[in-house]
Amino acid sequence: MMRGFHIGHMARHAADDKPRQPIRVIFRRLLTYALKSRGALAIAATGVIGASLLNMVVPQFTRITIDRIIPSGDVNRVFFVAAAIIATAIAMGAASFVRSYFMAIVGQRTIYELRNSLYRHLQTLSLGFFAQRRTGELMSRVTNDVNAVQQLITGGVMEIATDAATFLVIMGLLFFTDWRLMLFLLATFPVTILVTMKFGKSIRSAYREVQKHIAHVNEHLQETIANIRVVKSFGNEEYEIDRFDQHNLLNMEASINAVRLWSIYFPLIEMMNYLGLVIILTFGVTRVMASELSLGTLVAFMAYYQLLQQPVRRFSHVMNIVQQASAAAERVFEIMDTAPDITDSPGAVPLATCRGALAIEHVTFSYRGGRDPVLRDVSLEIQPQSTVALVGPSGAGKSTIVNLLMRFYDPQEGRILMDGGDLRGLTIESVRRQYGVVSQEILLLNGTVAENIAYGRPGALQDEITAAAREANAHDFITDFPEGYNTQVGERGVKLSGGQRQRIAIARALLKNPAILVFDEATSHLDSEAEQRIQQAMERLRANRTCIVIAHRLSTVQRADLMVVLDKGRIVEQGRPAQLLAEGGRYAGMFNLQFGASGKKG
C-alpha cells in the first residue's frame, strides 16, 4: 500500500519537477518589488551603513586604552573613553532602529505588492489551469510560500545587508591593523566558501522539497474539509487519516533531511572560525613577543575577528532563510510565469451592446491532455431572445458548449460568434459580461444574503437587491430570517436549503441583467415544490433574453424554442420539442424513458 501511495503521489505532482531559477534571478525579481519603496529602502541602507561603521569604533577605543592610556597612568582619559563608548552605543541603537523599522516597511510593502500581483495573475489564468491544479496547492503558494519570502525580506535581507557591510568594513580594518596577520587568516576563507557553496545548493534543494510537501499537506486538508460530507457518507475517516498521515510523513522526512544538512554545515563553519582564532593567537602572540606588534593592536585585531564571526555565524542562519525563501519564491514565480491560455487578441474590441445572437461553426474541441475530442464538428445557431435546451447523456458535451460560448476555452477548429463577431476578436471581459449563470452547484460567498445577491452587480443599492429578490421568489423567505437581508449564509451557503440557494442565485443573475442566461441543470436536485418556485422565477428571468438550458429533466424544457440533442460530442438531433417527439428519434426515446410510452408526465 505504501508503495502504491508513493507512485501515485509522484505521478500527481510531476509538475513540481520543473527547471529551477538561479538565486540571482529570484533576487533580481524580488528587487523589482522592493524598489517600489525606494525612499524607505534608502533610509534603511543609511541605518545599515551607520550601524556597521559605529560597530567598528569600540575595538579602537580598546587598543588606545591598552597601548596609550594604561602606560600613561592618566585616569581622566579612561572616563573620556568610557563616555565615548556610551555615546557610540546610543548612536548604534538609533542606527539599528532606523535600519530595522524602515527595512520592515520595505518588506511589508514588497510582500503586499507580490501577493497582489500573484492574486491578480491567478485571476487572469484560464479554467484549464485550475482544472490541473488543486485548490490547496494554490492556497499554499499564496499563503505559506509568500510568508516564507516575507521572512527573507523583513529579516534575511536586512541581516544580509548589515552583515555584508560589517564584513567589508572589518576586512578593511583588519588589513589596516596588521596586514601580515590578515594574510594568514585569509587562508581559511577558500575552504569556508567551498563548504558554503556545496551545502548551499543541497540545502536549497532540501527546502524546495519541504515547501512542496507542505503544499501537499495543505491540499489534502483543504480537500477533505471541503468534502467532509462525502468522507463521512462513505465512512472513509480512517482512510483519509491514513492518507493525511502519509503526506505528513513525507513532509516530516523532508524537513528532517533539511535539518540534517543544516546541522552538518553549521559545525563545519564553527570549526573554520576556531581555526582562524588559532592562527591569530599563534602568529599574533609570536609577533607581540618579538615586539613587532603591540598588545593593544593584537587585542583590537582579536576583537575585530570576533565581530567578523558574527556575520559569518549569522550567514549560516541567513542562508537557511534564503534557501527556504528562494524555494518558496520559485513556486510563486512559477505560477506568475504561467501564461493564460485565453487572452485578448491584439486589436480585440469590446462589445458595447448584445442582442444575444450566438453561432457555433464547425467546432472541434478537446481539453488539454485529452486524447479524443469532446466536441466533433459541431455547428449550432442560437437566435436572439430564444430558449435553447441542450440535452443528452452525461459526457455528451453540453457543458463544454457553454464553456466555449463563454470563452473559458477556445476551440481547436472552427469558430464561435456573438452577434456576428468572432469571440477571438472581442475582449474577454465584454463577452463574459453578457452572461448570467445559474448552475446546479450554487456557490455562495461567506457573507450576507444581500452581499451574495449584489455580487451580480457590485455597488447595487438595497432597493435594487430587494427588487431582484422579489422577482426570484426569494424575498419572502429572506424576510422570514431574523436578520433579513443581513443574514449570514455561511461558507458555500451551508445555512440555506438547496431551493433557497438557487433563488438567491437567480436574484443575483437578475440583478446583473445579462443578455444571455445559462441554466446548468438548475433544478435537478430540488423537490417538486422547490422546483416549481424556481421555474416561476426562471420564467421571469427568461423574458427578452437568450436562454441556454442544460437539463436532464425534460419537463423543465418543454417550452424551449430549440431542443438540441447531443451524444458523444456530436449534435444528433435539433428542432422544436414537439417536432422531435413526433419524429420518434433519440429525443423521443429519452422522453418516453422519463414519462412513459404514452408521453404523459407522471
Side-chain angles (χ1 to χ4, degrees):
M1 179 176 176
M2 286 291 293
R3 180 178 175 83
F5 172 83
H6 283 287
I7 293 174
H9 178 86
M10 292 170 63
R12 282 196 306 272
H13 300 290
D16 289 318
D17 300 323
K18 293 197 172 185
R20 307 304 179 187
Q21 297 185 25
I23 289 183
R24 65 178 183 279
V25 175
I26 293 173
F27 270 76
R28 190 183 307 129
R29 296 184 69 171
L30 290 175
L31 183 61
T32 61
Y33 290 94
L35 288 177
K36 293 181 180 180
S37 304
R38 287 182 176 85
L41 192 60
I43 296 174
T46 302
V48 167
I49 295 171
S52 298
L53 291 176
L54 288 168
N55 205 27
M56 305 302 107
V57 174
V58 175
Q60 290 299 322
F61 287 139
T62 303
R63 181 182 63 81
I64 292 171
T65 300
I66 293 174
D67 287 349
R68 298 181 185 179
I69 297 178
I70 292 177
S72 71
D74 190 347
V75 177
N76 292 328
R77 295 175 68 183
V78 174
F79 292 115
F80 174 79
V81 169
I85 291 174
I86 292 173
T88 301
I90 294 172
M92 283 179 60
S96 296
F97 168 79
V98 169
R99 175 193 65 191
S100 301
Y101 178 72
F102 284 95
M103 200 63 213
I105 291 176
V106 172
Q108 293 298 331
R109 288 178 180 173
T110 300
I111 294 305
Y112 167 81
E113 295 288 346
L114 179 62
R115 187 176 279 124
N116 270 356
S117 296
L118 176 58
Y119 184 78
R120 187 181 300 113
H121 186 71
L122 279 170
Q123 293 293 332
T124 69
L125 294 175
S126 311
L127 282 185
F129 170 84
F130 294 96
Q132 296 179 343
R133 299 279 184 156
R134 293 190 176 191
T135 303
E137 178 202 356
L138 296 178
M139 290 176 61
S140 179
R141 298 205 184 194
V142 178
T143 54
N144 291 348
D145 291 343
V146 172
N147 287 339
V149 176
Q150 180 179 2
Q151 291 180 13
L152 169 65
I153 296 175
T154 56
V157 168
M158 182 183 70
E159 290 190 22
I160 290 172
T162 302
D163 293 344
T166 300
F167 185 84
L168 292 174
V169 172
I170 291 178
M171 290 290 287
L173 284 171
L174 287 176
F175 270 108
F176 174 77
T177 303
D178 192 277
W179 63 270
R180 295 178 185 84
L181 199 55
M182 185 58 199
L183 287 179
F184 286 114
L185 194 60
L186 281 178
T188 64
F189 282 24
V191 179
T192 303
I193 293 171
L194 288 173
V195 169
T196 300
M197 291 177 62
K198 167 77 174 171
F199 277 87
K201 185 176 180 180
S202 299
I203 291 174
R204 183 187 179 195
S205 178
Y207 277 113
R208 187 185 298 123
E209 286 296 304
V210 171
Q211 293 298 127
K212 182 177 74 174
H213 289 298
I214 288 174
H216 296 171
V217 170
N218 288 336
E219 289 169 29
H220 186 88
L221 185 63
Q222 189 276 336
E223 184 180 71
T224 51
I225 290 177
N227 296 287
I228 191 66
R229 183 183 293 272
V230 176
V231 174
K232 290 186 174 297
S233 297
F234 282 87
N236 281 342
E237 292 91 343
E238 289 300 324
Y239 171 71
E240 293 299 344
I241 289 170
D242 183 60
R243 288 180 64 207
F244 183 82
D245 177 70
Q246 300 307 318
H247 286 300
N248 210 15
L249 177 63
L250 290 173
N251 177 51
M252 181 190 72
E253 290 173 348
S255 299
I256 290 174
N257 181 53
V259 171
R260 179 181 61 81
L261 291 170
W262 165 251
S263 300
I264 295 172
Y265 169 75
F266 186 76
L268 288 175
I269 294 298
E270 284 293 296
M271 287 174 58
M272 298 309 299
N273 293 339
Y274 281 109
L275 178 59
L277 184 61
V278 168
I279 291 173
I280 293 173
L281 286 173
T282 301
F283 294 98
V285 170
T286 301
R287 297 191 63 219
V288 169
M289 290 179 175
S291 300
E292 296 176 357
L293 188 70
S294 70
L295 179 61
T297 300
L298 177 61
V299 172
F301 195 97
M302 293 184 65
Y304 282 131
Y305 181 72
Q306 290 301 317
L307 288 175
L308 187 66
Q309 298 317 300
Q310 293 178 15
V312 171
R313 289 190 181 96
R314 278 199 301 263
F315 178 73
S316 55
H317 168 70
V318 171
M319 190 184 74
N320 187 18
I321 297 175
V322 168
Q323 299 305 335
Q324 291 185 64
S326 60
E330 268 187 334
R331 290 163 50 81
V332 171
F333 288 134
E334 187 262 321
I335 296 291
M336 296 179 69
D337 291 340
T338 301
D341 297 327
I342 308 300
T343 58
D344 284 332
S345 303
V349 297
L351 184 66
T353 59
C354 180
R355 296 184 299 113
L358 299 168
I360 300 174
E361 297 182 349
H362 302 289
V363 163
T364 296
F365 173 77
S366 60
Y367 290 101
R368 182 188 296 177
R371 296 180 180 178
D372 299 322
V374 181
L375 297 177
R376 304 168 186 268
D377 194 25
V378 171
S379 294
L380 176 64
E381 187 171 352
I382 300 175
Q383 297 297 326
Q385 299 183 18
S386 66
T387 297
V388 176
L390 304 178
V391 299
S394 297
K398 304 183 295 295
S399 296
T400 299
I401 286 180
V402 172
N403 286 338
L404 293 173
L405 288 173
M406 297 185 69
R407 211 186 166 207
F408 291 142
Y409 301 91
D410 282 336
Q412 282 82 35
E413 297 178 22
R415 63 176 186 162
I416 299 175
L417 308 178
M418 176 179 282
D419 283 0
D422 192 322
L423 291 190
R424 292 184 178 95
L426 303 173
T427 61
I428 296 172
E429 187 276 333
S430 68
V431 168
R432 294 177 187 165
R433 191 175 61 236
Q434 311 307 324
Y435 286 92
V437 180
V438 181
S439 63
Q440 170 186 343
E441 190 68 27
I442 298 298
L443 299 180
L444 300 182
L445 306 174
N446 187 13
T448 66
V449 170
E451 288 169 342
N452 274 279
I453 296 175
Y455 198 77
R457 196 174 79 236
L461 302 176
Q462 182 60 48
D463 289 345
E464 296 171 317
I465 294 171
T466 302
R470 289 183 186 277
E471 287 293 304
N473 283 344
H475 178 72
D476 289 343
F477 82 75
I478 293 173
T479 53
D480 284 343
F481 292 140
E483 296 182 45
Y485 283 86
N486 291 322
T487 300
Q488 294 286 332
V489 303
E491 187 176 4
R492 300 167 67 91
V494 295
K495 295 182 180 180
L496 305 178
S497 69
Q500 289 171 337
R501 289 197 296 270
Q502 289 285 15
R503 279 178 275 174
I504 287 178
I506 292 174
R508 183 167 61 191
L510 274 166
L511 188 61
K512 184 179 181 181
N513 193 27
I516 306 167
L517 273 170
V518 176
F519 295 101
D520 188 355
E521 301 185 40
T523 63
S524 61
H525 291 166
L526 303 180
D527 58 39
S528 298
E529 182 180 353
E531 180 183 357
Q532 185 178 6
R533 290 180 175 273
I534 298 298
Q535 289 289 355
Q536 291 171 355
M538 287 169 59
E539 287 299 323
R540 297 191 188 102
L541 197 53
R542 290 178 188 176
N544 302 317
R545 293 182 175 91
T546 300
C547 292
I548 302 169
V549 184
I550 298 175
H552 281 148
R553 289 186 185 179
L554 299 183
S555 61
T556 63
V557 290
Q558 290 306 296
R559 298 175 60 183
D561 298 302
L562 179 65
M563 186 75 66
V564 179
V565 184
L566 292 107
D567 189 24
K568 296 180 180 178
R570 297 183 185 276
I571 295 177
V572 294
E573 288 180 350
Q574 60 177 304
R576 287 188 173 275
Q579 171 196 344
L580 296 182
L581 189 60
E583 291 176 356
R586 189 72 61 88
Y587 173 75
M590 295 169 57
F591 186 90
N592 292 333
L593 186 64
Q594 289 193 22
F595 302 128
S598 64
K600 294 180 181 179
K601 304 172 188 179

